[in-house]
Amino acid sequence: MSTPPRFATHAVENQPPPLAACDAYATDTALREALAREGGGWGESNAAAYGKLAGGELRECARLANAHRPQLRTHDRNGQRIDEVEFHPAYHRLMASAVEHGVTGFAWRHAERPGAHVVRAALMYLHYQADQGSACPLTMTYACVPALRHAPELAKTWLPRIVAPHYDGRHAPAWDKPGNTIGMGMTEKQGGSDVRANTTKATAIGDGLYELVGHKWFFSAPMSDAFLVTAQTEAGTTCFLLPRFAPDGSRNALRLQRLKDKLGDWSNASSEVEFAGALAWRVGAEGRGIATILEMVGLTRQDCLLGSAALMRQALVLALHHARHRRVFGDLLIRQPLMRAVLADLALESEAATALAFRVVRAVDAGARDPREAAFARVATAIGKYWVCKRAPGFVNEAQECLGGAGYVEESELPRLYRQAPVNSIWEGSGNIQCLDVLRALQREPECAQALLDELALARGALPALDAAVAALAAVLDHPAAIAPERARWLVERLALCLQAGLLFRAGHAALAAAFCAGRLQGAGGWTYGVLPAEAPIDALLERAWREGAPG
Ligand SMILES: Cc1cc2nc3c(=O)[nH]c(=O)nc-3n(C[C@H](O)[C@H](O)[C@H](O)COP(=O)(O)OP(=O)(O)OC[C@H]3O[C@@H](n4cnc5c(N)ncnc54)[C@H](O)[C@@H]3O)c2cc1C
């Protein structure tokens, strides 16, 4: 029906169309190059298949799953406790797609093949662009595997379901499902970073079972089939596998108190929980709980890095799309020199974040076979998590501004990305904790400093600014005991920037690496985006960034 004349106040013009469904893999040159460069090229068909879903149908699922936030149902109509979380069907669709395509299990199902974690990283990177909240249970399910192996008997029965390409969101015992998801509970009210401060008590009751009494202050994805949690035994902090249903099939004694009212991360439920004699199996030796669960945390930190790189990518795509369709002062935004400078600077930051993330994943992947890579992964995961997660909020805000007022409005998708941006920096060890962890690794494990220096040496002689920055770092790394904690952020930031510059150069992008050095290492840039030096390859950066939708 046409608009009645009395309502026809104006013609709607110059409004960019919504970002159409696109192939998030095929249109991402930096991702395709990273996958091949870091040893995951053999899994390209997997990434390509998921790219179409992530850039298409899953974006609408994410909109719905975030608009209809999870609801806690503590009791049924008769007043019986049920402690269930209810999700919109779109959330289950997101979870099922991810699990079936390998976001949780691919790396473990193909563990014999070098590069399996890199392929899986591409799947996670694609998923994260569509929906961020569901990435939380997905990453915990992926990451629990090394820790759970500390309980070989449990691993024998649980791991096949954890790595299976099947999702089953029913509230039912784990052993009645073809696939399981896993959560993690460490943080308590009196202390999160310091897990030793846990007060939850675990008492052995025989048959390898323990009874847990206490609480967790943050407990994400509480509808998971089981959780790796920490609690105190006589020997100290210990790791446990706590199932939603007790071994006899009754509901386990975990009480969901409430869901956190979070800034963002809305498709994901994060709860507060009490354990009222909940039954759990021990994982690893009593008193070794922190070391055991850190094997899981190493991988969730890797995914924080990957997730923030993906978040930047999605924000960049939205900004480029808008700029290619919006006219201002007589021409498209994408043709306005100052906007081109901003977009190119964002593209450069996104490239560098993606390059560092995938290099870290390759080290994680190769670590089991190569001690040098293991040492690099040990320290570079924390470096990358600190720096890329810290860069994300400012990046997303700048991308938002490229859309003007529309970027502040929910329908543009950017407010959701903006709300999500800070969380990767906070959870799984906040910024200071990452920097202190880097310091600890450098001071206690000399092979970590050596692995960093070896890596940085691979780009030696390429860029004078990088050489100078690396020389200054090498002098510091020579005397790790002398590095004061208050210098840790400075050190980690410089290490991250040097690693990123070297990676861009070694990836065959000398001009991008030179611009990165000039803007980020030499001080020729500034504090915001859009301040690259005049000779920066603006056209090349924009050409690489995203082709789809480009005006002719
Ligand atoms: C949305 C969300 C979901 C979460 N889900 C889970 C979950 O599922 N399971 C779980 O276990 N936890 C979860 N967490 C908790 C999260 O991991 C912790 O909040 C985080 O590790 C920080 O712990 P804290 O809040 O106790 O802060 P604190 O430990 O009190 O730290 C506060 C600040 O002090 C800094 N700091 C700490 N020690 C030092 C030091 N020695 N020197 C200098 N600075 C220091 C920290 O970096 C931080 O910035 C979640 C958090 C959020 C926001």
Side-chain angles (χ1 to χ4, degrees):
M1 204 199 302
S2 62
T3 309
R6 67 183 182 283
F7 291 135
T9 59
H10 65 288
V12 178
E13 288 170 349
N14 195 22
Q15 288 284 345
L19 177 63
C22 70
D23 184 332
Y25 179 74
T27 53
D28 191 341
T29 308
L31 171 62
R32 285 188 282 117
E33 288 180 6
L35 183 66
R37 189 170 64 240
E38 306 301 356
W42 57 268
E44 174 155 48
S45 60
N46 300 81
Y50 205 49
K52 292 191 184 70
L53 262 184
E57 181 198 336
L58 296 189
R59 287 183 50 230
E60 175 59 8
C61 291
R63 188 187 68 74
L64 288 167
N66 283 276
H68 304 276
R69 292 158 70 173
Q71 303 285 323
L72 176 61
R73 303 264 177 260
T74 52
H75 296 79
D76 69 8
R77 57 185 289 173
N78 300 322
Q80 308 251 40
R81 283 210 74 119
I82 53 171
D83 299 283
E84 291 181 21
V85 182
E86 199 173 83
F87 290 86
H88 189 275
Y91 172 86
H92 294 296
R93 172 81 185 115
L94 284 163
M95 289 295 290
S97 305
V99 171
E100 285 160 18
H101 281 80
V103 175
T104 50
F106 187 96
W108 310 116
R109 293 200 298 276
H110 300 273
E112 78 296 343
R113 221 163 154 189
H117 285 271
V118 181
V119 179
R120 180 266 163 196
L123 299 171
M124 172 54 101
Y125 184 89
L126 290 164
H127 184 89
Y128 204 97
Q129 288 173 59
D131 184 58
Q132 299 77 43
S134 53
C136 172
L138 294 170
T139 190
M140 292 194 288
T141 303
Y142 154 72
C144 75
V145 172
L148 201 49
R149 285 185 179 143
H150 287 272
E153 283 306 309
L154 286 176
K156 215 183 290 172
T157 51
W158 282 80
L159 284 187
R161 295 193 301 266
I162 290 169
V163 307
H166 305 300
Y167 172 72
D168 185 337
R170 287 176 304 138
H171 190 64
W175 37 92
D176 291 344
K177 297 181 175 190
N180 293 164
T181 57
I182 302 293
M184 172 174 68
M186 291 190 288
T187 309
E188 298 185 2
K189 287 171 184 145
Q190 68 283 355
S193 307
D194 186 359
V195 180
R196 290 166 308 178
N198 277 186
T199 58
T200 296
K201 289 251 171 331
T203 310
I205 56 166
D207 285 342
L209 276 173
Y210 288 69
E211 214 170 58
L212 267 57
V213 176
H215 81 284
K216 294 294 165 187
W217 179 227
F218 282 91
F219 196 62
S220 286
M223 64 296 157
S224 301
D225 294 300
F227 310 87
L228 282 181
V229 301
T230 47
Q232 301 292 349
T233 62
E234 301 263 294
T237 311
T238 304
C239 181
F240 296 90
L241 181 72
L242 188 154
R244 279 302 307 269
F245 285 77
D248 67 0
S250 62
R251 287 171 200 272
N252 207 353
L254 46 92
R255 306 277 181 256
L256 303 182
Q257 302 300 312
R258 56 177 175 165
L259 296 188
K260 297 285 193 190
D261 187 4
K262 297 178 285 184
L263 168 66
D265 194 47
W266 286 352
S267 57
N268 180 34
S270 299
S271 68
E272 293 167 21
V273 67
E274 289 184 7
F275 304 138
L279 299 178
W281 295 282
R282 179 163 48 80
V283 176
E286 284 196 7
R288 296 285 302 152
I290 294 177
T292 305
I293 209 149
L294 276 181
E295 294 199 30
M296 175 173 185
V297 172
L299 292 179
T300 56
R301 285 178 178 170
Q302 168 207 280
D303 275 8
C304 289
L305 158 61
L306 209 49
S308 288
L311 195 71
M312 290 183 186
R313 170 71 194 168
Q314 181 64 11
L316 175 68
V317 166
L318 290 165
L320 285 168
H321 170 73
H322 185 89
R324 283 173 179 164
H325 290 90
R326 177 76 168 177
R327 286 184 176 276
V328 288
F329 301 105
D331 206 351
L332 289 172
L333 265 177
I334 193 74
R335 295 197 181 117
Q336 307 283 351
L338 185 52
M339 181 55 91
R340 291 178 72 75
V342 172
L343 290 167
D345 210 354
L346 289 172
L348 183 58
E349 188 73 16
S350 168
E351 285 253 2
T354 301
L356 181 57
F358 277 81
R359 173 65 187 96
V360 167
V361 177
R362 170 155 66 95
V364 168
D365 185 272
R369 305 176 294 276
D370 178 345
R372 201 201 79 89
E373 285 293 284
F376 184 71
R378 159 79 184 87
V379 69
T381 303
I383 294 171
K385 182 196 186 276
Y386 171 71
W387 184 240
V388 174
C389 299
K390 272 269 172 270
R391 295 290 281 172
F395 184 104
V396 177
N397 173 236
E398 196 65 66
Q400 241 175 346
E401 195 168 319
C402 294
L403 277 73
Y408 201 69
V409 173
E410 207 61 46
E411 286 152 322
S412 74
E413 202 178 315
L414 277 153
R416 169 153 62 86
L417 303 189
Y418 185 66
R419 285 192 298 270
Q420 187 76 24
V423 79
N424 279 335
S425 176
I426 293 173
W427 61 16
E428 306 308 313
S430 310
N432 285 355
I433 297 299
Q434 299 308 306
C435 294
L436 292 172
D437 189 44
V438 171
L439 210 54
R440 197 175 309 113
L442 295 175
Q443 291 174 342
R444 293 195 192 157
E445 302 171 48
E447 62 277 18
C448 287
Q450 193 54 52
L452 283 174
L453 291 170
D454 290 350
E455 180 79 10
L456 293 169
L458 294 174
R460 187 184 293 143
L463 303 150
L466 180 57
D467 285 349
V470 171
L473 282 174
V476 176
L477 295 185
D478 260 356
H479 305 284
I483 309 168
E486 56 270 31
R487 293 295 287 158
R489 278 192 180 222
W490 172 85
L491 177 67
V492 174
E493 178 175 326
R494 297 297 287 183
L495 281 167
L497 291 171
C498 288
L499 287 170
Q500 288 180 311
L503 283 166
L504 288 176
F505 177 79
R506 284 158 52 208
H509 305 304
L512 304 197
F516 190 86
C517 286
R520 276 44 166 188
L521 281 172
Q522 260 178 318
W527 298 106
T528 61
Y529 292 95
V531 288
L532 287 173
E535 64 279 10
I538 304 284
D539 293 348
L541 275 161
L542 291 177
E543 180 64 17
R544 268 177 70 74
W546 193 62
R547 282 162 185 263
E548 196 154 303

